């Protein structure tokens, strides 16, 4: 029942990861890039963990992780 923010720029990988996470019982919100993920987080308060690609156009996964609340677990893939 945890809420996952999935950030991935590759549509095929995004679809696969989204499906796999939902199949495992997670509620998934998606963003295609770091800036969109940050904008989404401004309007949503129930994200428990962030899963992100390391290498993305614009903001990298490392940069995105640095912008997230320090209490939010982050998984970089």
């Amino acid at each position: 029942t945890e809420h996952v923010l999935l950030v991935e720029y590759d549509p095929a990988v995004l679809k696969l990861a989204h499906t796999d996470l939902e199949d495992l019982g997670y509620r998934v919100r998606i963003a295609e890039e770091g800036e969109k993920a940050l904008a989404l987080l401004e309007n949503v308060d129930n994200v428990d963990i962030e899963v992100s690609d390391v290498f993305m156009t614009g903001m990298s996964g490392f940069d995105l992780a640095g912008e997230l609340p320090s209490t939010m677990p982050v998984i970089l893939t």
Side-chain angles (χ1 to χ4, degrees):
T1 62
E2 290 89 0
H3 291 82
V4 175
L5 173 58
L6 175 61
V7 187
E8 172 59 56
Y9 73 96
D10 184 309
V13 175
L14 181 64
K15 182 177 179 179
L16 177 65
H18 185 189
T19 300
D20 287 348
L21 287 166
E22 283 187 334
D23 288 347
L24 291 169
Y26 294 99
R27 295 181 180 170
V28 183
R29 298 184 183 274
I30 59 170
E32 297 84 9
E33 59 186 36
E35 292 84 2
K36 288 183 181 180
L38 291 175
L40 188 144
L41 286 172
E42 289 179 7
N43 299 310
V44 174
D45 61 353
N46 60 348
V47 173
D48 300 303
I49 189 168
E50 186 259 343
V51 178
S52 174
D53 192 349
V54 173
F55 301 105
M56 299 182 289
T57 57
M59 179 182 288
S60 75
F62 291 115
D63 293 337
L64 174 59
E67 296 291 325
L68 298 174
S70 61
T71 56
M72 181 181 291
V74 175
I75 298 173
L76 297 171
T77 61

